[in-house]
Every structure is written in structure tokens, then in C-alpha cells.
Amino acid sequence: MFLRVGGVPHHVVVEGAGPVVVLSAGLGMSWFDWDPVVPLLAPHHTVVRFDRPGHGLSGPALVPPSAAGEAHRIAGILDALGAAGPATVVGHSIAGFHAEAFARLYPARAAGLVLVDSSVEEHARPPAAAGLRLALARALGSALCAAGAPAALGPAARRATVRMSRTGGGDPAQRELVRGCYRTSRVLRGMVLENARYHAVAAELLCLRREFALSAGRRVVLAGGAGGARWVARQQGLAGALGAAFLLAEGAGHLVMLDAPARTAEAISPTPPLPETRRG
């Protein structure tokens, strides 16, 4: 389905029944990147997946992303679905910033916060000349689109990135879905825009940490063990800073939901997941 939030048509997929779980994937990823996890959650939860502007099948962004803006986006999608009760919000990679911002700005609506190999920026500062950086990023996106880069390279770049970001094999997504999303200029522009705003969003989140406390809901940080000792230590530090439980997916790469879907489902819900199936 498509829901208009903030003037942008958002692609949203809802499955299952029960307490609401919202899944948001990392930069450049799409709703189908949660496919291995959803069957493990849907028997016990209403699972909501959505594509951020410029990602998946959603429309292009009207404004640059911000931590607060992405928190409001999650709230807006829940409102549009009529999901008034508290939800567990799950953020992977850069979407960890967004999920935490939601939990801080909407504590009464956050039943839980789960960060899956989340981005971590312990000492982020607002970047200098942010407006210029944004303008350059938009110019780069326009130039790449004009050169035909999305159609020529988009699907292949997506598949190469997925393969490098996991330890369990290649990209399990259907070829038609990948072509339908990653051959478009809309998705390339969306990725460039989010990447350009990465440090600004990270710095904004640190400000939100100083101003807004987290709710008393369940908090979990799940890290991919293949990231190395230093990365795992930073994820443990994030868990400590948030007062969250720390879980490790041994041998999983950055795309933990593809390499270790059962471990991911376990982090999201205390309900025992179904037996894990490796995908490659």
C-alpha cells in the first residue's frame, strides 16, 4: 500500500497480527531486505515495513532528512495506519539513528527500541558548510542520473554491496524487485541525499540524547560479529550508553537480518522464533 505522509507517498507493507513492530532498513536498502525476518515475527506481531523517501518504491524526498524528521515520519506512518498503541521500533544501520530519535521524541509510543548493527558516531559534530555539502550532493546525484548511471549500474551496484555486507552469500532479493527499484534515478538521489546528511543527523541525535530521555521500554543492541573486535566494542558502548541489552550475531555481517534472521527476530521479540534458514 501507499500512504501519504508529509506530502510524500510512502510504500508500506503490513503483515501479521499482534503488537506492532516497525522495521526500517539502512541507507540504500528496501522493504524486501527484511524478508527473512518477517515470517518469524508475523505469527506474533503486526509487522510494518516502509521505504523512506527515495528508497524502495516510495516517492522522492521533499526535504533533507533529519533525526527529528525521521522520528516524525515513523509516527506519521503509525498514525496513517491507525496504530495508536506503543510499537517496537527497529532500525538497521543509519536507521538506528531514526529509531532512537523516535524512542526519545515519542516515549509513550515506544514499547521497545532495537538497533541492528546500528550506525554509531560517538563524537559527531554538525558538519561545516552543511548547505554547500547538500547542494554538491544534489548536483552529483543529478550528474549521475543524467549520465544514465542508475539504469547502467544500479542493480549491479546493489548486489555487489549486499554481497560485501554479509557473510552468508549473495543478494537473496528477487531480480525483478532489484531492477524495479535500483534502475531508477529516484533511488540513487535518495541514497546520495541520505549519505550527504549522515553526519548532520548523527550530531542532531547526540543533541536529542541530552534533551530527551528514553522510555522504560525494552532496549536491545544487536551487532554483527563479522564487523571485527573494534566494531563490536563500539556496539557494546552504544548499548551501555542507552542502557540496552547487548546481543551478538556470531559470524554475521552488517546485513544481520539476512545472515542471521532468527537471531534478529530473537532480538526484536522475546517470543521464540522459528528455526533459522540460511539464505545464500
Side-chain angles (χ1 to χ4, degrees):
M1 75 174 76
F2 286 87
L3 301 174
R4 187 168 290 274
V5 177
V8 177
H10 287 71
H11 176 237
V12 181
V13 178
V14 182
E15 296 160 276
V20 175
V21 170
V22 180
L23 306 178
S24 185
L27 190 153
M29 307 306 287
S30 300
W31 85 96
F32 51 75
D33 290 304
W34 293 103
D35 276 356
V37 178
V38 172
L40 307 180
L41 296 175
H44 312 286
H45 297 277
T46 299
V47 183
V48 178
R49 293 181 277 173
F50 72 98
D51 293 322
R52 294 188 300 281
H55 288 63
L57 298 178
S58 291
L62 299 180
V63 296
S66 66
E70 295 307 316
H72 299 329
R73 187 183 316 285
I74 295 170
I77 287 171
L78 292 173
D79 288 342
L81 291 172
T88 296
V89 181
V90 184
H92 164 253
S93 194
I94 193 175
F97 293 160
H98 311 156
E100 183 185 339
F102 174 85
R104 292 188 181 280
L105 293 175
Y106 295 90
R109 303 187 68 174
L113 170 65
V114 180
L115 305 182
V116 179
D117 220 50
S118 177
S119 296
V120 183
E121 295 295 337
E122 299 90 343
H123 309 291
R125 295 182 178 181
L132 177 60
R133 288 170 179 258
L134 191 59
L136 291 174
R138 283 175 164 156
L140 173 62
S142 295
L144 290 172
C145 292
L153 303 174
R158 143 82 195 195
R159 292 198 180 279
T161 299
V162 169
R163 181 174 291 277
M164 290 187 296
S165 300
R166 58 176 308 211
T167 57
D171 187 353
Q174 295 179 22
R175 188 170 299 274
E176 295 77 13
L177 291 177
V178 171
R179 287 175 59 84
C181 293
Y182 292 88
R183 283 175 58 88
T184 67
S185 61
R186 171 180 48 78
V187 169
L188 186 146
R189 291 175 190 270
M191 290 190 292
V192 169
L193 184 62
E194 277 204 350
N195 185 66
R197 290 283 296 167
Y198 174 86
H199 290 289
V201 171
E204 181 189 354
L205 180 62
L206 294 187
C207 292
L208 293 179
R209 283 184 186 174
R210 293 190 288 268
E211 295 183 44
F212 301 94
L214 286 169
S215 69
R218 184 169 177 267
R219 306 170 204 163
V220 179
V221 170
L222 173 65
R230 184 172 181 273
W231 177 248
V232 170
R234 293 180 71 190
Q235 294 287 305
Q236 289 176 315
L238 176 62
L242 301 182
F246 176 77
L247 298 177
L248 184 66
E250 293 280 0
H254 183 51
L255 296 178
V256 183
M257 60 278 211
L258 297 184
D259 282 338
R263 188 63 164 160
T264 305
E266 176 190 0
I268 295 169
S269 171
T271 302
L274 300 176
E276 182 165 316
T277 299
R278 296 286 289 183
R279 296 194 176 199

